[in-house]
Amino acid sequence: MIRTEKDGDVWTVVHSRYDEARNAMDPDSADALVEAMLEFDRDPTASVAVLWGEGGAFCAGWDLRYASTLDDRDRFHDEFVAELNFPMGANPAPRGPLGPTRLELSKPVIAAVEGPAVAGGMELALWCDVRVMASDAYFGVYCRRWGIPLLDGGSVRLPRLVGQGRAMEIILTGRQVPADESLRIGLCEQVTEPGGARAAAEAMARDIARFPQAAVRADRRSAIESYGLPVREAMRREWANGVEAHYAEGASGAGRFVGGRGRHGDFSAI
């Protein structure tokens, strides 16, 4: 169902329910995906994760066979609402219906999108930091067709990526959003040939993993935490996140550069 393939500090988390449901999520697979992502975040040897759906589909969303069993109001409340409801205050939230969509990891995750990433599958891709799509892959709020609303952050994250009006059109119409359009509007960051999304995402992950990681994670955290804040407060967050990373890695990194180049200011070989 969920397995992790490790290549040094790059981990690829594979979702494999294709024959059964085009990698749609049921409670068991959602739990397993959360645990895989938490294991990645906790492991000091792991730097970047890639999330990929095996068999030609990233994720077809919430498993509608499971959703169809929640027609009893009491069961819906006890098994779904009560289990996944946000707690009061700042207490940690339980997983989202699709699994890790409420997790706030300290390390980057790249979505490798082949085939459909629709409904909750689109929300799962939006949770990732970066999206790499095959040219024949597509997004879409297909849950619009079945009367199921967005519950895994889609209405929150999509406007932040593509703007309010464009997000509203995509959400309300439930239409297919192909890879070329996704790249044009900022819904993905790279498009590859069919079947090439995983390899391209892993290559990007290796590029990120080769850098000193304290600064990578500090800058990632600053970009996430400062979104929507006034400039002064956002820069205060950037400073707080960055100074410790600079102490941990910056001086030694600058020393390696100066020692290797023989003089400061020579950037020709960078």
Coordinates of all heavy atoms in Angstrom, one line a residue, residues 112-155:
A112 N 5.6 13.9 -7.4 CA 5.9 13.4 -8.8 C 4.5 13.0 -9.3 O 4.1 11.9 -8.9 CB 6.9 12.3 -8.7
V113 N 3.9 13.7 -10.2 CA 2.5 13.5 -10.6 C 2.5 12.9 -12.0 O 2.9 13.5 -13.0 CB 1.8 14.8 -10.6 CG1 0.3 14.6 -11.0 CG2 1.8 15.5 -9.2
E114 N 2.0 11.6 -12.0 CA 1.7 10.9 -13.3 C 0.2 10.7 -13.3 O -0.4 10.4 -12.3 CB 2.4 9.6 -13.3 CG 3.9 9.7 -13.4 CD 4.4 10.0 -14.8 OE1 3.6 10.0 -15.7 OE2 5.6 10.3 -14.9
G115 N -0.5 10.9 -14.4 CA -1.9 10.6 -14.6 C -2.7 11.5 -13.7 O -2.4 12.7 -13.5
P116 N -3.8 11.1 -13.2 CA -4.7 11.9 -12.4 C -4.2 12.2 -11.0 O -3.8 11.4 -10.3 CB -6.0 11.1 -12.4 CG -5.6 9.7 -12.4 CD -4.4 9.7 -13.3
A117 N -4.3 13.5 -10.7 CA -4.2 14.0 -9.3 C -5.4 14.8 -9.0 O -5.4 16.1 -9.2 CB -2.9 14.8 -9.1
V118 N -6.5 14.2 -8.7 CA -7.8 14.9 -8.8 C -8.5 14.8 -7.4 O -8.2 13.9 -6.6 CB -8.7 14.3 -9.8 CG1 -8.1 14.5 -11.2 CG2 -8.9 12.8 -9.6
A119 N -9.4 15.7 -7.2 CA -10.1 15.8 -5.9 C -9.1 15.9 -4.8 O -8.2 16.7 -4.8 CB -11.1 14.7 -5.8
G120 N -9.2 15.0 -3.8 CA -8.3 14.9 -2.7 C -6.8 14.7 -3.2 O -5.9 15.1 -2.5
G121 N -6.7 14.0 -4.3 CA -5.3 13.8 -4.8 C -4.7 15.1 -5.2 O -3.5 15.2 -5.1
M122 N -5.5 16.0 -5.8 CA -5.0 17.3 -6.1 C -4.6 18.0 -4.8 O -3.5 18.7 -4.7 CB -6.0 18.1 -6.8 CG -5.6 19.6 -7.1 SD -6.9 20.4 -8.1 CE -6.3 22.0 -8.2
E123 N -5.4 17.9 -3.7 CA -5.1 18.5 -2.4 C -3.8 17.9 -1.9 O -3.0 18.7 -1.2 CB -6.2 18.3 -1.5 CG -7.5 19.1 -1.9 CD -8.6 18.8 -0.9 OE1 -9.3 17.8 -1.0 OE2 -8.9 19.8 -0.1
L124 N -3.6 16.7 -2.0 CA -2.4 16.0 -1.6 C -1.1 16.6 -2.3 O -0.1 16.9 -1.7 CB -2.4 14.5 -1.8 CG -1.4 13.6 -1.1 CD1 -1.4 13.8 0.4 CD2 -1.7 12.2 -1.5
A125 N -1.2 16.8 -3.6 CA -0.1 17.4 -4.4 C 0.1 18.9 -3.9 O 1.2 19.3 -3.9 CB -0.4 17.3 -5.9
L126 N -1.0 19.6 -3.6 CA -0.9 21.0 -3.2 C -0.2 21.1 -1.8 O 0.5 22.1 -1.5 CB -2.2 21.6 -3.1 CG -3.0 21.8 -4.4 CD1 -4.4 22.4 -4.1 CD2 -2.2 22.7 -5.3
W127 N -0.3 20.0 -1.0 CA 0.4 20.0 0.3 C 1.9 20.0 0.1 O 2.6 20.5 0.9 CB -0.1 18.8 1.1 CG 0.7 18.5 2.3 CD1 0.7 19.2 3.5 CD2 1.7 17.5 2.5 NE1 1.6 18.7 4.4 CE2 2.2 17.6 3.8 CE3 2.2 16.5 1.7 CZ2 3.2 16.7 4.3 CZ3 3.1 15.6 2.2 CH2 3.6 15.7 3.5
C128 N 2.4 19.3 -1.0 CA 3.8 19.2 -1.2 C 4.4 20.6 -1.5 O 3.7 21.5 -1.9 CB 4.1 18.3 -2.4 SG 3.5 16.6 -2.1
D129 N 5.7 20.7 -1.3 CA 6.4 22.0 -1.6 C 6.5 22.3 -3.1 O 6.4 23.5 -3.5 CB 7.8 22.0 -1.0 CG 7.7 21.8 0.6 OD1 7.5 22.9 1.2 OD2 7.9 20.7 1.1
V130 N 6.7 21.3 -3.9 CA 6.9 21.5 -5.3 C 6.2 20.4 -6.0 O 6.1 19.2 -5.5 CB 8.5 21.4 -5.7 CG1 8.7 21.5 -7.2 CG2 9.2 22.5 -4.9
R131 N 5.7 20.6 -7.3 CA 5.0 19.6 -8.0 C 5.7 19.5 -9.4 O 5.9 20.5 -10.1 CB 3.6 20.0 -8.3 CG 2.7 19.9 -7.0 CD 1.6 20.9 -6.9 NE 2.2 22.2 -6.7 CZ 2.7 22.7 -5.5 NH1 2.6 21.9 -4.4 NH2 3.2 23.9 -5.4
V132 N 6.1 18.2 -9.7 CA 6.6 17.9 -11.0 C 5.6 17.0 -11.7 O 5.2 16.0 -11.2 CB 8.0 17.1 -10.9 CG1 8.5 16.7 -12.3 CG2 9.0 18.0 -10.2
M133 N 5.2 17.4 -12.9 CA 4.1 16.7 -13.6 C 4.6 16.1 -14.9 O 5.3 16.8 -15.7 CB 2.9 17.6 -13.9 CG 2.2 18.2 -12.7 SD 0.8 19.3 -13.2 CE -0.4 18.1 -13.7
A134 N 4.1 14.9 -15.2 CA 4.2 14.4 -16.6 C 3.3 15.2 -17.5 O 2.3 15.7 -17.1 CB 3.9 12.9 -16.6
S135 N 3.7 15.3 -18.8 CA 2.9 16.1 -19.7 C 1.5 15.6 -19.9 O 0.6 16.4 -20.3 CB 3.6 16.2 -21.1 OG 3.8 14.9 -21.6
D136 N 1.2 14.4 -19.6 CA -0.1 13.9 -19.8 C -0.9 13.7 -18.4 O -1.9 13.1 -18.3 CB -0.2 12.5 -20.5 CG 0.7 11.5 -19.8 OD1 1.5 11.8 -18.9 OD2 0.7 10.3 -20.3
A137 N -0.3 14.3 -17.4 CA -0.9 14.3 -16.1 C -1.9 15.5 -16.0 O -1.9 16.4 -16.8 CB 0.1 14.4 -15.0
Y138 N -2.7 15.4 -15.0 CA -3.7 16.5 -14.8 C -4.2 16.6 -13.4 O -4.2 15.6 -12.6 CB -4.9 16.3 -15.8 CG -5.6 15.0 -15.7 CD1 -6.7 14.8 -14.9 CD2 -5.2 13.9 -16.4 CE1 -7.4 13.6 -14.8 CE2 -5.8 12.7 -16.4 CZ -6.9 12.5 -15.5 OH -7.5 11.3 -15.5
F139 N -4.7 17.8 -13.1 CA -5.3 18.1 -11.8 C -6.8 18.3 -12.1 O -7.3 18.4 -13.2 CB -4.8 19.4 -11.2 CG -3.4 19.2 -10.6 CD1 -2.4 20.1 -11.1 CD2 -3.1 18.3 -9.7 CE1 -1.1 20.0 -10.6 CE2 -1.8 18.2 -9.2 CZ -0.8 19.0 -9.6
G140 N -7.6 18.5 -11.0 CA -9.0 18.8 -11.2 C -9.8 18.5 -9.9 O -9.5 17.6 -9.2
V141 N -10.7 19.4 -9.6 CA -11.6 19.2 -8.4 C -12.7 18.3 -8.8 O -13.9 18.7 -8.8 CB -12.0 20.6 -7.9 CG1 -12.8 20.4 -6.5 CG2 -10.8 21.5 -7.6
Y142 N -12.4 17.1 -9.1 CA -13.4 16.1 -9.6 C -14.5 15.8 -8.5 O -15.5 15.3 -8.9 CB -12.7 14.9 -10.1 CG -12.1 15.0 -11.5 CD1 -11.8 16.2 -12.0 CD2 -12.0 13.9 -12.3 CE1 -11.2 16.3 -13.3 CE2 -11.4 14.0 -13.6 CZ -11.0 15.2 -14.1 OH -10.5 15.3 -15.3
C143 N -14.1 16.0 -7.3 CA -15.1 15.7 -6.2 C -16.4 16.6 -6.4 O -17.4 16.3 -5.8 CB -14.5 15.9 -4.8 SG -13.6 17.5 -4.6
R144 N -16.2 17.7 -7.2 CA -17.4 18.5 -7.5 C -18.5 17.7 -8.1 O -19.7 18.0 -7.8 CB -16.9 19.6 -8.5 CG -18.0 20.6 -9.0 CD -18.5 21.5 -7.8 NE -17.3 22.1 -7.2 CZ -16.9 21.9 -5.9 NH1 -17.6 21.1 -5.1 NH2 -15.9 22.6 -5.4
R145 N -18.2 16.6 -8.8 CA -19.2 15.8 -9.5 C -20.0 15.0 -8.5 O -21.1 14.6 -8.9 CB -18.5 14.9 -10.5 CG -17.6 15.7 -11.5 CD -16.8 14.7 -12.3 NE -15.9 15.5 -13.2 CZ -15.2 14.9 -14.2 NH1 -15.3 13.6 -14.5 NH2 -14.4 15.7 -14.9
W146 N -19.5 14.7 -7.3 CA -20.1 13.8 -6.4 C -20.6 14.5 -5.2 O -21.1 13.8 -4.2 CB -19.1 12.7 -6.0 CG -18.3 12.2 -7.2 CD1 -16.9 12.3 -7.3 CD2 -18.8 11.6 -8.4 NE1 -16.5 11.7 -8.4 CE2 -17.6 11.3 -9.2 CE3 -20.0 11.2 -8.9 CZ2 -17.7 10.7 -10.4 CZ3 -20.1 10.7 -10.1 CH2 -19.0 10.4 -10.9
G147 N -20.6 15.8 -5.1 CA -21.1 16.5 -4.0 C -20.2 16.5 -2.7 O -20.6 16.7 -1.6
I148 N -18.9 16.2 -3.0 CA -17.9 16.1 -1.9 C -17.1 17.4 -1.9 O -16.5 17.7 -2.9 CB -17.1 14.8 -2.0 CG1 -17.9 13.6 -1.8 CG2 -16.0 14.9 -0.9 CD1 -17.2 12.3 -2.1
P149 N -17.1 18.1 -0.8 CA -16.3 19.4 -0.8 C -14.8 19.1 -0.6 O -14.4 18.0 -0.3 CB -16.9 20.1 0.4 CG -17.3 19.1 1.3 CD -17.8 17.9 0.5
L150 N -14.0 20.1 -0.8 CA -12.6 20.1 -0.5 C -12.4 20.1 1.1 O -12.9 21.0 1.7 CB -11.9 21.3 -1.1 CG -11.9 21.3 -2.6 CD1 -11.4 22.7 -3.1 CD2 -11.1 20.2 -3.2
L151 N -11.7 19.1 1.6 CA -11.5 19.0 3.0 C -10.0 18.9 3.4 O -9.7 18.7 4.6 CB -12.3 17.8 3.5 CG -13.8 17.8 3.4 CD1 -14.4 16.4 3.7 CD2 -14.3 18.8 4.4
D152 N -9.1 18.9 2.4 CA -7.7 18.7 2.7 C -6.8 19.9 2.3 O -5.7 19.7 1.9 CB -7.2 17.4 2.0 CG -7.5 16.1 2.8 OD1 -6.8 15.7 3.6 OD2 -8.6 15.5 2.5
G153 N -7.4 21.0 2.4 CA -6.6 22.3 2.2 C -6.7 22.8 0.8 O -6.0 23.8 0.5
G154 N -7.5 22.2 -0.1 CA -7.5 22.7 -1.5 C -8.0 24.1 -1.6 O -7.4 24.9 -2.4
S155 N -9.0 24.5 -0.9 CA -9.6 25.8 -1.0 C -8.6 26.8 -0.3 O -8.8 28.0 -0.5 CB -11.0 25.9 -0.4 OG -10.9 25.7 1.0

